[in-house]
Amino acid sequence: MRTLLTAVALMALSASGHAQTANGAKPKHYSSSSTTIGTLLDDPAAKALLDRYIPGMSSDYRIRLARGMTLKTVQKYSRDTITDKVLANLDTAFARIPARTPR
C-alpha cells in the first residue's frame, strides 16, 4: 500500500510540473516539453510569454482541459498554431526567466 501511495504522489508531482530531476534538484527553467501548461499559466511571467507567442491561449475557454499537458503534447492538436518554431522561441524565452518553486 505504501508503494502505491508513493507512486501516486510521484505521479501527482510529475503531472503538476513541479517534479524534481533525477538528482533531486528543481528545474531551473520551464520547458515546452516537460512543464505543464497549468504551471506556465500559474506563473505571470510564463503566462505573458504564452500570450506573446500563442495569442489567446491563456484565455481560451478550453485551456483548463489542457492544464496537465505540456505544450509539446498539445502541439499535435494545433499544429498550425503551435509550431516547432513557436516552441523553440518559447523555450528560448523561458530560459530567460527562472522557474517558480511551488508553495
Side-chain angles (χ1 to χ4, degrees):
M1 184 65 141
R2 176 179 273 184
T3 304
L4 177 62
L5 292 175
T6 302
V8 169
L10 288 174
M11 286 174 26
L13 282 172
S14 177
S16 72
H18 298 300
Q20 295 181 344
T21 60
N23 66 2
K26 301 258 188 262
K28 292 183 181 185
H29 301 285
Y30 298 126
S31 164
S32 64
S33 61
S34 63
T35 307
T36 63
I37 291 171
T39 299
L40 297 172
L41 292 173
D42 292 342
D43 181 334
K47 182 179 176 183
L49 290 172
L50 280 178
D51 286 334
R52 178 178 175 192
Y53 289 97
I54 309 171
M57 182 173 198
S58 70
S59 60
D60 189 294
Y61 71 95
R62 299 166 291 189
I63 196 65
R64 63 182 174 79
L65 301 173
R67 286 186 63 88
M69 302 169 82
T70 65
L71 290 167
K72 187 67 175 170
T73 302
V74 173
Q75 181 186 32
K76 61 185 155 194
Y77 304 110
S78 186
R79 289 201 184 274
D80 57 329
T81 304
I82 306 173
T83 64
D84 287 338
K85 183 175 181 169
V86 167
L87 294 182
N89 289 339
L90 273 167
D91 284 334
T92 299
F94 289 150
R96 294 184 195 125
I97 62 170
R100 285 178 42 181
T101 55
R103 297 177 221 218

Coordinates of all heavy atoms in Angstrom, one line a residue:
M1 N 0.8 -1.2 0.0 CA 0.0 0.0 0.0 C 0.9 1.3 0.0 O 0.6 2.2 -0.7 CB -0.9 0.0 1.2 CG -1.9 1.1 1.2 SD -3.0 1.1 -0.1 CE -4.5 1.6 0.6
R2 N 1.9 1.2 0.8 CA 2.8 2.4 0.8 C 3.5 2.7 -0.5 O 3.6 3.8 -0.9 CB 3.9 2.2 1.9 CG 4.9 3.3 1.9 CD 6.0 3.1 2.9 NE 5.4 3.6 4.2 CZ 6.1 3.7 5.3 NH1 7.3 3.2 5.4 NH2 5.6 4.2 6.4
T3 N 3.8 1.6 -1.2 CA 4.4 1.8 -2.6 C 3.4 2.4 -3.5 O 3.8 3.3 -4.3 CB 4.9 0.4 -3.1 OG1 5.8 -0.2 -2.2 CG2 5.5 0.5 -4.5
L4 N 2.2 2.0 -3.4 CA 1.1 2.6 -4.3 C 0.9 4.0 -4.0 O 0.9 4.9 -4.9 CB -0.2 1.8 -4.1 CG -1.4 2.3 -4.9 CD1 -1.1 2.3 -6.4 CD2 -2.6 1.6 -4.5
L5 N 0.9 4.4 -2.7 CA 0.7 5.8 -2.4 C 1.9 6.6 -2.8 O 1.8 7.8 -3.3 CB 0.5 5.9 -0.8 CG -0.8 5.4 -0.3 CD1 -0.8 5.5 1.2 CD2 -1.9 6.1 -0.9
T6 N 3.1 6.1 -2.7 CA 4.3 6.8 -3.2 C 4.3 7.0 -4.7 O 4.6 8.1 -5.2 CB 5.6 6.0 -2.8 OG1 5.6 5.8 -1.4 CG2 6.8 6.7 -3.2
A7 N 3.8 6.0 -5.4 CA 3.7 6.1 -6.8 C 2.7 7.1 -7.2 O 2.9 7.9 -8.1 CB 3.4 4.7 -7.4
V8 N 1.6 7.2 -6.5 CA 0.5 8.1 -6.8 C 1.1 9.6 -6.5 O 0.9 10.5 -7.3 CB -0.7 7.9 -6.0 CG1 -1.7 9.0 -6.1 CG2 -1.4 6.6 -6.5
A9 N 1.8 9.7 -5.4 CA 2.3 11.0 -5.1 C 3.3 11.5 -6.1 O 3.4 12.6 -6.5 CB 3.0 11.0 -3.7
L10 N 4.2 10.6 -6.6 CA 5.2 10.9 -7.6 C 4.5 11.3 -8.9 O 4.9 12.2 -9.6 CB 6.2 9.8 -7.8 CG 7.2 9.6 -6.7 CD1 8.0 8.3 -6.9 CD2 8.1 10.8 -6.5
M11 N 3.4 10.6 -9.3 CA 2.7 10.9 -10.5 C 2.1 12.3 -10.4 O 2.1 13.1 -11.3 CB 1.7 9.8 -10.8 CG 2.3 8.6 -11.3 SD 1.1 7.2 -11.5 CE -0.4 7.9 -11.8
A12 N 1.6 12.6 -9.2 CA 0.9 13.9 -9.0 C 2.0 15.0 -9.1 O 1.7 16.0 -9.7 CB 0.2 14.0 -7.6
L13 N 3.1 14.8 -8.5 CA 4.2 15.8 -8.7 C 4.6 16.0 -10.1 O 4.8 17.1 -10.6 CB 5.4 15.4 -7.8 CG 5.3 15.6 -6.3 CD1 6.5 15.0 -5.7 CD2 5.2 17.1 -6.0
S14 N 4.7 14.9 -10.8 CA 5.1 14.9 -12.2 C 4.1 15.7 -13.0 O 4.4 16.5 -13.9 CB 5.3 13.5 -12.8 OG 5.7 13.6 -14.1
A15 N 2.8 15.4 -12.8 CA 1.7 16.0 -13.5 C 1.6 17.5 -13.2 O 1.1 18.2 -14.1 CB 0.4 15.3 -13.2
S16 N 2.0 17.9 -12.1 CA 1.9 19.3 -11.7 C 3.0 20.1 -12.3 O 2.9 21.3 -12.2 CB 1.9 19.4 -10.2 OG 3.2 19.2 -9.7
G17 N 4.0 19.5 -12.9 CA 5.1 20.3 -13.5 C 6.1 20.7 -12.4 O 7.0 21.4 -12.8
H18 N 6.0 20.2 -11.2 CA 6.9 20.5 -10.2 C 7.8 19.3 -9.8 O 8.3 19.3 -8.7 CB 6.2 21.0 -8.9 CG 5.4 22.3 -9.2 ND1 6.0 23.4 -9.6 CD2 4.1 22.5 -9.1 CE1 5.0 24.4 -9.8 NE2 3.9 23.8 -9.5
A19 N 8.0 18.4 -10.7 CA 8.8 17.2 -10.4 C 10.3 17.6 -10.3 O 10.7 18.6 -10.8 CB 8.6 16.2 -11.5
Q20 N 11.0 16.8 -9.5 CA 12.4 17.1 -9.3 C 13.1 16.3 -10.4 O 12.6 15.3 -11.0 CB 12.9 16.6 -8.0 CG 12.3 17.4 -6.8 CD 12.8 17.0 -5.5 OE1 13.3 15.9 -5.3 NE2 12.6 17.8 -4.5
T21 N 14.3 16.7 -10.7 CA 15.1 16.0 -11.6 C 15.7 14.7 -10.9 O 15.5 14.5 -9.8 CB 16.3 16.8 -12.2 OG1 17.1 17.2 -11.0 CG2 15.8 18.1 -12.9
A22 N 16.4 13.9 -11.7 CA 16.9 12.6 -11.1 C 17.8 12.9 -9.9 O 17.9 12.0 -9.0 CB 17.6 11.8 -12.2
N23 N 18.5 14.0 -9.9 CA 19.4 14.2 -8.8 C 18.7 15.0 -7.6 O 19.4 15.4 -6.7 CB 20.7 15.0 -9.2 CG 20.4 16.4 -9.7 OD1 19.3 16.8 -9.7 ND2 21.4 17.0 -10.2
G24 N 17.4 15.2 -7.7 CA 16.7 15.8 -6.7 C 16.6 17.3 -6.8 O 15.9 17.9 -6.0
A25 N 17.2 17.9 -7.8 CA 17.1 19.3 -8.0 C 15.8 19.8 -8.7 O 15.2 19.0 -9.4 CB 18.3 19.8 -8.8
K26 N 15.4 20.9 -8.4 CA 14.2 21.5 -9.0 C 14.7 22.0 -10.4 O 15.8 22.5 -10.5 CB 13.6 22.7 -8.2 CG 13.2 22.3 -6.8 CD 11.7 22.1 -6.8 CE 11.2 21.9 -5.4 NZ 11.0 20.5 -5.0
P27 N 13.8 22.0 -11.4 CA 14.1 22.5 -12.7 C 14.4 24.0 -12.6 O 13.7 24.7 -11.9 CB 12.9 22.3 -13.6 CG 12.1 21.3 -12.9 CD 12.5 21.4 -11.4
K28 N 15.4 24.5 -13.3 CA 15.8 26.0 -13.2 C 14.9 26.8 -14.1 O 14.7 28.0 -13.9 CB 17.2 26.2 -13.5 CG 18.2 25.6 -12.4 CD 19.6 25.9 -12.7 CE 20.5 25.3 -11.7 NZ 21.9 25.6 -11.8
H29 N 14.5 26.2 -15.2 CA 13.7 26.9 -16.2 C 12.6 26.0 -16.7 O 12.6 24.8 -16.6 CB 14.6 27.3 -17.4 CG 15.8 28.1 -17.0 ND1 15.6 29.5 -16.7 CD2 17.1 27.8 -16.9 CE1 16.8 29.9 -16.4 NE2 17.7 29.0 -16.5
Y30 N 11.6 26.7 -17.2 CA 10.4 26.0 -17.8 C 10.8 25.4 -19.2 O 11.8 25.9 -19.8 CB 9.2 26.9 -18.0 CG 8.7 27.5 -16.7 CD1 8.6 28.8 -16.5 CD2 8.4 26.6 -15.6 CE1 8.1 29.4 -15.3 CE2 7.9 27.1 -14.4 CZ 7.8 28.5 -14.3 OH 7.3 29.0 -13.1
S31 N 10.0 24.5 -19.6 CA 10.3 23.8 -20.9 C 9.0 23.5 -21.6 O 8.0 23.1 -20.9 CB 11.1 22.6 -20.7 OG 11.1 21.8 -21.9
S32 N 8.9 23.7 -22.9 CA 7.7 23.4 -23.6 C 7.4 21.9 -23.7 O 6.3 21.4 -23.9 CB 7.8 23.9 -25.1 OG 8.8 23.3 -25.8
S33 N 8.4 21.1 -23.4 CA 8.3 19.6 -23.5 C 8.1 19.0 -22.1 O 7.7 17.8 -22.1 CB 9.4 19.0 -24.3 OG 10.6 19.2 -23.6
S34 N 8.5 19.7 -21.0 CA 8.4 19.0 -19.7 C 7.6 19.8 -18.7 O 7.2 19.2 -17.6 CB 9.8 18.7 -19.2 OG 10.5 19.9 -19.0
T35 N 7.2 21.0 -18.9 CA 6.5 21.8 -17.9 C 5.0 21.8 -18.3 O 4.7 22.0 -19.5 CB 7.0 23.2 -17.9 OG1 8.4 23.2 -17.7 CG2 6.3 24.0 -16.8
T36 N 4.1 21.5 -17.4 CA 2.7 21.5 -17.7 C 2.2 22.9 -18.0 O 2.7 23.9 -17.5 CB 1.9 20.9 -16.6 OG1 2.0 21.7 -15.5 CG2 2.2 19.5 -16.3
I37 N 1.2 23.0 -18.8 CA 0.5 24.3 -19.2 C 0.0 24.9 -17.9 O 0.1 26.1 -17.8 CB -0.6 24.1 -20.2 CG1 0.1 23.7 -21.6 CG2 -1.4 25.3 -20.4 CD1 -0.8 23.2 -22.6
G38 N -0.5 24.1 -17.0 CA -1.0 24.7 -15.7 C 0.1 25.4 -15.0 O -0.2 26.5 -14.4
T39 N 1.2 24.9 -14.9 CA 2.4 25.5 -14.2 C 2.7 26.8 -14.9 O 3.0 27.8 -14.3 CB 3.6 24.6 -14.2 OG1 3.2 23.4 -13.5 CG2 4.8 25.2 -13.6
L40 N 2.7 26.8 -16.2 CA 3.1 28.0 -17.0 C 2.0 29.1 -16.8 O 2.3 30.3 -16.6 CB 3.2 27.7 -18.5 CG 4.3 26.7 -18.9 CD1 4.1 26.3 -20.4 CD2 5.6 27.3 -18.6
L41 N 0.8 28.7 -16.7 CA -0.3 29.7 -16.5 C -0.3 30.3 -15.1 O -0.7 31.4 -14.9 CB -1.7 29.0 -16.8 CG -2.0 28.6 -18.3 CD1 -3.3 27.9 -18.4 CD2 -2.0 29.9 -19.2
D42 N 0.2 29.5 -14.2 CA 0.2 30.0 -12.8 C 1.4 30.9 -12.5 O 1.4 31.6 -11.5 CB 0.3 28.8 -11.8 CG -1.0 27.9 -11.8 OD1 -2.0 28.4 -12.3 OD2 -0.9 26.8 -11.4
D43 N 2.3 31.0 -13.4 CA 3.4 32.0 -13.3 C 3.2 33.2 -14.2 O 3.1 33.0 -15.4 CB 4.7 31.3 -13.7 CG 6.0 32.2 -13.5 OD1 5.8 33.4 -13.6 OD2 7.0 31.6 -13.3
P44 N 3.0 34.4 -13.7 CA 2.6 35.5 -14.5 C 3.6 35.8 -15.7 O 3.2 36.1 -16.8 CB 2.6 36.7 -13.5 CG 2.3 36.1 -12.2 CD 3.0 34.7 -12.3
A45 N 4.9 35.6 -15.4 CA 5.9 35.8 -16.4 C 5.8 34.8 -17.6 O 5.9 35.1 -18.7 CB 7.3 35.8 -15.8
A46 N 5.6 33.5 -17.2 CA 5.5 32.5 -18.2 C 4.2 32.6 -19.0 O 4.1 32.4 -20.2 CB 5.5 31.1 -17.5
K47 N 3.1 33.0 -18.3 CA 1.8 33.3 -18.9 C 1.9 34.4 -19.9 O 1.3 34.3 -21.0 CB 0.7 33.6 -17.9 CG -0.6 33.8 -18.4 CD -1.6 34.1 -17.3 CE -3.0 34.4 -17.9 NZ -4.0 34.7 -16.9
A48 N 2.6 35.4 -19.6 CA 2.8 36.5 -20.5 C 3.5 36.1 -21.8 O 3.2 36.5 -22.9 CB 3.6 37.7 -19.9
L49 N 4.5 35.2 -21.6 CA 5.2 34.6 -22.8 C 4.3 33.8 -23.6 O 4.3 33.9 -24.9 CB 6.4 33.8 -22.3 CG 7.6 34.6 -21.8 CD1 8.7 33.7 -21.2 CD2 8.2 35.6 -22.8
L50 N 3.5 33.0 -23.0 CA 2.5 32.2 -23.7 C 1.6 33.1 -24.6 O 1.4 32.9 -25.8 CB 1.6 31.4 -22.8 CG 2.2 30.1 -22.2 CD1 1.2 29.4 -21.3 CD2 2.6 29.1 -23.4
D51 N 1.1 34.2 -24.0 CA 0.2 35.1 -24.7 C 1.0 35.8 -25.8 O 0.4 36.2 -26.8 CB -0.4 36.1 -23.7 CG -1.5 35.5 -22.9 OD1 -2.1 34.5 -23.3 OD2 -1.7 36.0 -21.8
R52 N 2.2 36.0 -25.6 CA 3.0 36.7 -26.7 C 3.2 35.8 -27.9 O 3.1 36.2 -29.0 CB 4.4 37.1 -26.1 CG 5.3 37.8 -27.1 CD 6.6 38.2 -26.5 NE 7.4 38.7 -27.5 CZ 8.7 39.0 -27.3 NH1 9.2 38.8 -26.1 NH2 9.5 39.4 -28.3
Y53 N 3.6 34.5 -27.6 CA 3.9 33.6 -28.7 C 2.7 32.8 -29.2 O 2.7 32.4 -30.4 CB 5.0 32.7 -28.3 CG 6.4 33.4 -28.2 CD1 6.8 33.8 -26.9 CD2 7.1 33.6 -29.3 CE1 8.0 34.5 -26.8 CE2 8.3 34.3 -29.2 CZ 8.8 34.7 -28.0 OH 10.0 35.4 -27.8
I54 N 1.7 32.6 -28.4 CA 0.5 32.0 -28.8 C -0.7 32.8 -28.4 O -1.3 32.5 -27.3 CB 0.4 30.5 -28.2 CG1 1.7 29.7 -28.5 CG2 -0.8 29.8 -28.8 CD1 1.8 28.4 -27.7
P55 N -1.0 33.9 -29.1 CA -2.0 34.8 -28.6 C -3.4 34.1 -28.4 O -3.8 33.3 -29.2 CB -2.1 35.8 -29.8 CG -0.8 35.7 -30.5 CD -0.4 34.3 -30.3
G56 N -4.0 34.4 -27.3 CA -5.3 33.9 -26.9 C -5.3 32.6 -26.2 O -6.3 32.1 -25.8
M57 N -4.1 31.9 -26.1 CA -4.1 30.6 -25.5 C -4.6 30.6 -24.0 O -5.3 29.8 -23.6 CB -2.7 30.0 -25.6 CG -2.6 28.6 -25.0 SD -1.0 27.9 -25.3 CE -1.4 26.2 -25.0
S58 N -4.1 31.6 -23.3 CA -4.4 31.6 -21.8 C -5.9 31.9 -21.6 O -6.4 31.6 -20.5 CB -3.5 32.5 -21.1 OG -3.8 33.9 -21.4
S59 N -6.5 32.6 -22.5 CA -7.9 33.0 -22.3 C -8.9 32.1 -23.0 O -10.1 32.2 -22.9 CB -8.1 34.4 -22.8 OG -7.8 34.5 -24.2
D60 N -8.4 31.1 -23.8 CA -9.3 30.1 -24.4 C -10.1 29.3 -23.4 O -9.5 28.9 -22.4 CB -8.4 29.2 -25.3 CG -9.3 28.3 -26.2 OD1 -10.0 27.5 -25.7 OD2 -9.2 28.5 -27.4
Y61 N -11.3 29.2 -23.6 CA -12.2 28.5 -22.6 C -11.8 27.1 -22.5 O -12.2 26.5 -21.4 CB -13.7 28.7 -23.0 CG -14.1 27.9 -24.2 CD1 -14.7 26.6 -24.1 CD2 -13.9 28.4 -25.5 CE1 -15.0 25.9 -25.2 CE2 -14.3 27.7 -26.6 CZ -14.8 26.4 -26.5 OH -15.2 25.7 -27.6
R62 N -11.1 26.5 -23.4 CA -10.7 25.0 -23.3 C -9.4 24.8 -22.5 O -9.0 23.7 -22.3 CB -10.7 24.4 -24.7 CG -12.0 24.5 -25.4 CD -11.7 24.2 -26.9 NE -11.0 25.3 -27.4 CZ -10.8 25.5 -28.7 NH1 -11.2 24.6 -29.6 NH2 -10.1 26.5 -29.2
I63 N -8.7 25.9 -22.2 CA -7.4 25.8 -21.6 C -7.4 25.0 -20.4 O -6.4 24.2 -20.1 CB -6.7 27.1 -21.5 CG1 -5.2 27.0 -21.3 CG2 -7.3 27.9 -20.3 CD1 -4.5 26.4 -22.5
R64 N -8.4 25.0 -19.6 CA -8.4 24.3 -18.3 C -8.3 22.8 -18.6 O -7.8 22.0 -17.7 CB -9.7 24.6 -17.5 CG -11.0 24.2 -18.1 CD -12.2 24.6 -17.3 NE -13.4 24.4 -18.0 CZ -14.0 23.2 -18.1 NH1 -13.4 22.1 -17.5 NH2 -15.1 23.1 -18.8
L65 N -8.8 22.3 -19.7 CA -8.7 20.9 -20.1 C -7.3 20.4 -20.3 O -6.9 19.3 -20.3 CB -9.6 20.6 -21.3 CG -11.0 20.9 -21.1 CD1 -11.7 20.7 -22.5 CD2 -11.7 20.0 -20.1
A66 N -6.4 21.4 -20.6 CA -5.0 21.1 -21.0 C -4.0 21.4 -19.9 O -2.8 21.3 -20.1 CB -4.6 21.8 -22.3
R67 N -4.5 21.8 -18.7 CA -3.5 22.2 -17.7 C -2.5 21.1 -17.3 O -1.4 21.5 -16.9 CB -4.3 22.7 -16.4 CG -5.0 24.0 -16.6 CD -5.6 24.5 -15.3 NE -4.7 24.7 -14.3 CZ -4.0 25.9 -14.1 NH1 -4.2 26.9 -14.8 NH2 -3.1 26.0 -13.1
G68 N -2.9 19.9 -17.4 CA -1.9 18.8 -17.0 C -1.1 18.4 -18.2 O -0.3 17.5 -18.0
M69 N -1.2 19.0 -19.3 CA -0.5 18.6 -20.5 C 0.7 19.6 -20.8 O 0.6 20.7 -20.3 CB -1.4 18.5 -21.7 CG -2.5 17.6 -21.6 SD -3.8 17.8 -22.9 CE -3.0 16.8 -24.2
T70 N 1.6 19.2 -21.6 CA 2.7 20.1 -22.0 C 2.4 20.7 -23.3 O 1.5 20.2 -24.0 CB 4.1 19.4 -22.1 OG1 4.0 18.4 -23.2 CG2 4.5 18.6 -20.8
L71 N 3.0 21.8 -23.6 CA 2.8 22.4 -24.9 C 3.2 21.5 -26.1 O 2.5 21.4 -27.1 CB 3.7 23.7 -25.1 CG 3.2 24.8 -24.2 CD1 4.3 25.9 -24.1 CD2 1.9 25.4 -24.7
K72 N 4.2 20.7 -25.9 CA 4.6 19.7 -26.9 C 3.5 18.7 -27.1 O 3.2 18.3 -28.3 CB 5.9 19.0 -26.5 CG 6.5 18.1 -27.5 CD 7.0 18.9 -28.7 CE 7.7 18.1 -29.7 NZ 8.0 18.8 -31.0
T73 N 2.8 18.3 -26.1 CA 1.7 17.3 -26.2 C 0.5 18.0 -26.9 O -0.1 17.4 -27.8 CB 1.3 16.8 -24.8 OG1 2.4 16.2 -24.2 CG2 0.1 15.8 -25.0
V74 N 0.2 19.2 -26.6 CA -0.9 19.9 -27.2 C -0.6 20.2 -28.7 O -1.5 20.4 -29.5 CB -1.2 21.2 -26.4 CG1 -2.3 22.0 -27.1 CG2 -1.7 20.8 -25.0
Q75 N 0.6 20.3 -29.0 CA 1.0 20.7 -30.4 C 0.4 19.8 -31.4 O -0.1 20.3 -32.5 CB 2.5 20.6 -30.6 CG 3.0 21.0 -31.9 CD 4.5 20.8 -32.1 OE1 5.1 19.8 -31.5 NE2 5.1 21.6 -33.0
K76 N 0.2 18.5 -31.1 CA -0.4 17.6 -32.1 C -1.9 17.9 -32.4 O -2.4 17.5 -33.4 CB -0.2 16.1 -31.7 CG -0.8 15.7 -30.4 CD -0.5 14.3 -30.1 CE -0.6 14.1 -28.6 NZ 0.1 12.8 -28.2
Y77 N -2.5 18.7 -31.6 CA -3.9 19.1 -31.8 C -4.0 20.4 -32.4 O -5.1 20.8 -32.8 CB -4.7 19.1 -30.4 CG -4.6 17.8 -29.7 CD1 -3.9 17.6 -28.6 CD2 -5.2 16.6 -30.2 CE1 -3.8 16.4 -27.9 CE2 -5.2 15.4 -29.6 CZ -4.4 15.3 -28.4 OH -4.3 14.1 -27.8
S78 N -2.9 21.1 -32.5 CA -2.9 22.5 -33.0 C -1.6 22.8 -33.8 O -0.9 23.8 -33.5 CB -3.2 23.5 -31.9 OG -3.3 24.8 -32.4
R79 N -1.3 22.0 -34.7 CA 0.0 22.1 -35.4 C 0.1 23.4 -36.2 O 1.2 23.9 -36.4 CB 0.2 20.9 -36.4 CG 0.5 19.7 -35.7 CD 1.2 18.7 -36.6 NE 1.3 17.4 -35.9 CZ 2.4 17.1 -35.2 NH1 3.3 18.0 -34.9 NH2 2.5 15.9 -34.6
D80 N -1.0 24.0 -36.6 CA -0.9 25.3 -37.4 C -0.5 26.4 -36.5 O 0.0 27.4 -36.9 CB -2.2 25.5 -38.1 CG -3.4 25.6 -37.2 OD1 -3.4 24.8 -36.2 OD2 -4.4 26.3 -37.6
T81 N -0.9 26.4 -35.2 CA -0.6 27.4 -34.3 C 0.6 27.2 -33.4 O 1.5 28.1 -33.2 CB -1.8 27.6 -33.3 OG1 -3.0 27.9 -34.1 CG2 -1.6 28.8 -32.4
I82 N 0.7 26.0 -32.9 CA 1.9 25.6 -32.0 C 2.9 24.9 -32.9 O 3.0 23.6 -32.8 CB 1.4 24.8 -30.8 CG1 0.3 25.5 -30.1 CG2 2.5 24.5 -29.9 CD1 -0.4 24.7 -29.0
T83 N 3.7 25.6 -33.6 CA 4.7 25.0 -34.5 C 6.0 24.7 -33.7 O 6.2 25.2 -32.6 CB 5.0 26.0 -35.7 OG1 5.5 27.2 -35.1 CG2 3.7 26.3 -36.4
D84 N 6.8 24.0 -34.4 CA 8.2 23.7 -33.8 C 8.9 25.0 -33.5 O 9.6 25.2 -32.5 CB 9.0 22.8 -34.7 CG 8.5 21.4 -34.7 OD1 7.8 21.0 -33.7 OD2 8.8 20.6 -35.6
K85 N 8.7 26.0 -34.5 CA 9.4 27.3 -34.3 C 8.9 28.0 -33.1 O 9.6 28.6 -32.3 CB 9.3 28.1 -35.6 CG 10.0 29.4 -35.5 CD 9.9 30.2 -36.8 CE 10.7 31.5 -36.6 NZ 10.9 32.2 -37.8
V86 N 7.6 28.0 -32.9 CA 7.0 28.7 -31.7 C 7.5 28.1 -30.4 O 7.8 28.8 -29.5 CB 5.4 28.6 -31.8 CG1 4.8 29.0 -30.5 CG2 4.9 29.5 -32.9
L87 N 7.5 26.7 -30.4 CA 8.0 26.0 -29.2 C 9.5 26.4 -29.0 O 9.9 26.6 -27.8 CB 7.8 24.5 -29.3 CG 6.4 24.1 -29.3 CD1 6.3 22.5 -29.4 CD2 5.6 24.6 -28.1
A88 N 10.3 26.4 -30.0 CA 11.7 26.8 -29.9 C 11.9 28.2 -29.3 O 12.7 28.5 -28.5 CB 12.4 26.6 -31.2
N89 N 11.0 29.1 -29.9 CA 11.1 30.5 -29.4 C 10.6 30.6 -27.9 O 11.2 31.4 -27.2 CB 10.2 31.4 -30.3 CG 10.8 31.6 -31.6 OD1 12.0 31.5 -31.9 ND2 9.9 32.0 -32.6
L90 N 9.6 29.8 -27.6 CA 9.2 29.8 -26.2 C 10.3 29.3 -25.3 O 10.5 29.8 -24.2 CB 7.9 29.0 -26.0 CG 6.6 29.8 -26.2 CD1 5.4 28.8 -26.4 CD2 6.4 30.8 -25.1
D91 N 10.9 28.2 -25.7 CA 12.0 27.6 -24.8 C 13.1 28.6 -24.6 O 13.7 28.7 -23.6 CB 12.5 26.3 -25.4 CG 11.5 25.2 -25.2 OD1 10.8 25.2 -24.2 OD2 11.5 24.2 -25.9
T92 N 13.4 29.4 -25.7 CA 14.5 30.4 -25.6 C 14.0 31.5 -24.6 O 14.8 31.9 -23.7 CB 14.8 31.0 -26.9 OG1 15.2 30.0 -27.8 CG2 15.8 32.1 -26.8
A93 N 12.8 31.9 -24.7 CA 12.2 32.9 -23.8 C 12.1 32.4 -22.3 O 12.5 33.1 -21.4 CB 10.9 33.4 -24.3
F94 N 11.7 31.1 -22.2 CA 11.6 30.5 -20.8 C 13.0 30.4 -20.2 O 13.1 30.6 -18.9 CB 11.1 29.1 -20.9 CG 9.6 29.0 -21.2 CD1 9.1 27.9 -21.9 CD2 8.7 30.0 -20.9 CE1 7.7 27.8 -22.2 CE2 7.3 29.9 -21.2 CZ 6.9 28.8 -21.8
A95 N 14.1 30.3 -21.0 CA 15.4 30.2 -20.4 C 15.8 31.5 -19.7 O 16.8 31.5 -18.9 CB 16.4 29.8 -21.5
R96 N 15.1 32.6 -20.1 CA 15.5 33.9 -19.5 C 14.8 34.2 -18.2 O 15.1 35.2 -17.6 CB 15.1 35.0 -20.5 CG 15.9 35.0 -21.8 CD 15.6 36.1 -22.7 NE 16.1 35.9 -24.0 CZ 15.4 35.9 -25.1 NH1 14.1 36.1 -25.1 NH2 16.0 35.6 -26.3
I97 N 13.8 33.4 -17.8 CA 13.1 33.6 -16.6 C 13.3 32.3 -15.7 O 13.3 31.2 -16.2 CB 11.6 33.9 -16.8 CG1 10.9 32.7 -17.4 CG2 11.4 35.2 -17.5 CD1 9.4 32.9 -17.4
P98 N 13.5 32.5 -14.4 CA 13.6 31.3 -13.5 C 12.3 30.6 -13.3 O 11.2 31.3 -13.2 CB 14.2 31.9 -12.3 CG 13.7 33.3 -12.2 CD 13.6 33.7 -13.7
A99 N 12.3 29.3 -13.2 CA 11.0 28.6 -12.8 C 10.7 28.9 -11.4 O 11.6 29.0 -10.5 CB 11.2 27.1 -13.0
R100 N 9.4 29.2 -11.1 CA 9.0 29.4 -9.7 C 8.9 28.1 -9.0 O 8.6 27.1 -9.5 CB 7.6 30.0 -9.8 CG 7.6 31.5 -10.2 CD 6.2 32.1 -10.2 NE 5.4 31.7 -9.1 CZ 4.1 32.1 -9.0 NH1 3.6 32.9 -9.9 NH2 3.4 31.7 -7.9
T101 N 9.3 28.2 -7.7 CA 9.1 27.0 -6.9 C 7.7 26.9 -6.3 O 7.1 28.0 -6.0 CB 10.2 27.0 -5.7 OG1 10.0 28.2 -5.0 CG2 11.6 26.9 -6.3
P102 N 7.2 25.7 -6.2 CA 5.8 25.6 -5.7 C 5.7 26.0 -4.2 O 6.7 25.9 -3.5 CB 5.5 24.1 -5.9 CG 6.8 23.4 -6.0 CD 7.8 24.4 -6.5
R103 N 4.6 26.5 -3.8 CA 4.4 26.9 -2.4 C 3.8 25.8 -1.7 O 3.1 25.0 -2.1 CB 3.5 28.1 -2.4 CG 4.1 29.3 -3.0 CD 3.1 30.4 -3.0 NE 3.1 31.1 -4.2 CZ 2.9 32.4 -4.4 NH1 2.8 33.2 -3.3 NH2 2.9 33.0 -5.5

